Amino acid sequence: MSINMHSASSPVFVKMLGNMLHWLQLARTHAETKKFDTSVYLGLRLAPDMLPFSRQIQIASDAAKGCVARLAGIEIPKWEDNEATMDELEARVRRTIDFVNSVPAEQLIGSEERVIELVMRNGTVLKYSGEDFLRHYATPNFYFHVTTTYALLRHAGVSLGKPDYLGR
Amino acid sequence: MSINMHSASSPVFVKMLGNMLHWLQLARTHAETKKFDTSVYLGLRLAPDMLPFSRQIQIASDAAKGCVARLAGIEIPKWEDNEATMDELEARVRRTIDFVNSVPAEQLIGSEERVIELVMRNGTVLKYSGEDFLRHYATPNFYFHVTTTYALLRHAGVSLGKPDYLGR
């Protein structure tokens, strides 16, 4: 089968978000062993002017749901970014996987030339074709926040390796 | 035009590696301002048991050239991982971009079902279809090392933001 706009997006998000749930499980075990509360993770940052752990997960979620909804031409689910515990962050990841899986492949296939307009926080409008949006905006942005989440856990001493990252 | 195995791989690597050259330039400026030698960057690690900065860049390079060569069914260029200065790391990134650009799109298009076998360091053989190799191995691995490079520079105080990461 040929690669298409569904096969290049939804299964990627679902797989990496599933891997992330596995990292969060290992983070729980680490916290138990070291006897600290998992809520400590939520505020960790790689640099003082980088977003904290909880925001990294929320934005990875946003990147995935926003990409799939935009390519499919449906409304992006709006979720409050109010996760304050590890349980709630895990639920957010699961809800994202469920949403991505709920959008039929046919709604994404053929979206290469769909016009995608992104309004930035400063009001600038970025305009992409569907394919450029997927490969030069949504995917790198998704991986940015997924990898930063992983890096924060590694930094915090959680025992993770490349096979956990890739999900083999 | 429809998404294909070339459009979903080579232009992604070329764009992000180009962005990386821009980050390295900002890292040079930062080192000049703070009066330290750029070679200091090469040994930085996010955690004691994570690979240092120079290896992150070498492996991002390997992920890109390995992916394109494997999908095209040509020999992977073998380069010694002996970069010991910022100049040499930048040259490595440029050489990677040149190699990726040198492989004609036609050699990658249609490689979805090509059988890709990866021999791991422990001898295990991982077997992928071309498309699964691209989306579930090469791309996440590439972004892992690209984002970790970015995170190390942010951690070192280099002034970088999401627009630099995405290359807008």
Side-chain angles (χ1 to χ4, degrees):
Chain A
M1 209 175 115
S2 290
I3 187 172
N4 61 58
M5 291 294 285
H6 174 265
S7 73
S9 59
S10 297
V12 169
F13 300 138
V14 167
K15 180 162 172 90
M16 290 306 296
L17 292 169
N19 297 351
M20 192 187 273
L21 287 174
H22 168 61
W23 314 338
L24 296 180
Q25 197 49 55
L26 294 177
R28 281 179 184 277
T29 308
H30 179 68
E32 268 170 40
T33 309
K34 297 283 184 185
K35 301 195 196 310
F36 64 86
D37 194 278
T38 54
S39 64
V40 170
Y41 290 118
L42 276 69
L44 295 181
R45 298 171 195 260
L46 281 183
D49 58 342
M50 284 181 81
L51 293 169
F53 185 78
S54 54
R55 288 293 293 142
Q56 300 296 340
I57 295 181
Q58 287 161 350
I59 303 177
S61 156
D62 287 346
K65 70 180 166 68
C67 177
V68 169
R70 283 178 211 274
L71 291 177
I74 61 176
E75 207 175 331
I76 303 170
K78 278 211 177 80
W79 298 337
E80 279 187 73
D81 292 323
N82 58 359
E83 289 81 8
T85 64
M86 201 69 154
D87 277 351
E88 290 172 359
L89 283 176
E90 286 174 344
R92 168 77 174 248
V93 175
R94 283 202 197 88
R95 210 181 329 148
T96 311
I97 293 173
D98 289 346
F99 170 72
V100 170
N101 280 332
S102 77
V103 181
E106 302 72 50
Q107 280 188 257
L108 291 160
I109 292 173
S111 59
E112 283 91 342
E113 303 297 339
R114 182 182 279 274
V115 177
I116 310 281
E117 289 190 345
L118 303 178
V119 183
M120 300 288 101
R121 267 175 300 185
N122 64 8
T124 322
V125 177
L126 300 181
K127 208 167 164 178
Y128 288 96
S129 69
E131 185 174 7
D132 276 353
F133 169 67
L134 173 62
R135 67 183 168 176
H136 295 316
Y137 186 91
T139 306
N141 198 35
F142 175 73
Y143 276 116
F144 178 93
H145 295 287
V146 166
T147 306
T148 303
T149 300
Y150 176 95
L152 282 165
L153 292 176
R154 287 290 267 103
H155 209 239
V158 179
S159 179
L160 287 167
K162 186 62 79 62
D164 301 301
Y165 178 81
L166 292 171
R168 305 197 291 268
Chain B
M1 207 174 117
S2 290
I3 187 172
N4 61 58
M5 291 294 286
H6 174 264
S7 73
S9 59
S10 297
V12 169
F13 299 138
V14 167
K15 182 164 171 93
M16 291 305 297
L17 291 169
N19 298 352
M20 193 188 272
L21 287 174
H22 168 62
W23 312 340
L24 296 180
Q25 196 50 54
L26 294 177
R28 282 179 183 277
T29 309
H30 180 67
E32 270 170 39
T33 308
K34 296 284 183 184
K35 302 196 197 311
F36 65 85
D37 194 278
T38 53
S39 64
V40 170
Y41 289 118
L42 276 68
L44 295 181
R45 299 172 194 259
L46 280 182
D49 57 343
M50 284 182 81
L51 293 168
F53 185 77
S54 54
R55 288 293 293 144
Q56 299 297 339
I57 295 181
Q58 287 160 351
I59 302 177
S61 156
D62 288 346
K65 70 181 166 67
C67 177
V68 168
R70 286 185 156 96
L71 291 177
I74 61 177
E75 208 176 332
I76 304 169
K78 277 210 177 81
W79 299 336
E80 280 186 71
D81 293 323
N82 58 359
E83 289 81 8
T85 65
M86 202 67 155
D87 277 351
E88 290 172 358
L89 283 176
E90 286 175 344
R92 167 79 175 246
V93 175
R94 282 201 198 89
R95 210 180 329 148
T96 311
I97 293 173
D98 290 345
F99 170 72
V100 170
N101 280 332
S102 77
V103 181
E106 302 73 49
Q107 280 187 257
L108 291 159
I109 292 173
S111 59
E112 284 90 342
E113 304 296 338
R114 180 182 282 274
V115 177
I116 310 281
E117 289 190 344
L118 304 177
V119 183
M120 299 288 101
R121 266 175 300 184
N122 63 7
T124 322
V125 177
L126 300 180
K127 208 167 165 178
Y128 288 96
S129 70
E131 185 174 7
D132 277 353
F133 169 67
L134 172 63
R135 67 183 168 176
H136 295 317
Y137 186 92
T139 306
N141 197 35
F142 175 73
Y143 277 116
F144 179 93
H145 294 286
V146 166
T147 306
T148 303
T149 300
Y150 176 95
L152 281 166
L153 291 175
R154 286 290 266 106
H155 209 241
V158 179
S159 179
L160 288 166
K162 186 62 78 65
D164 300 300
Y165 178 81
L166 293 172
R168 305 196 292 267

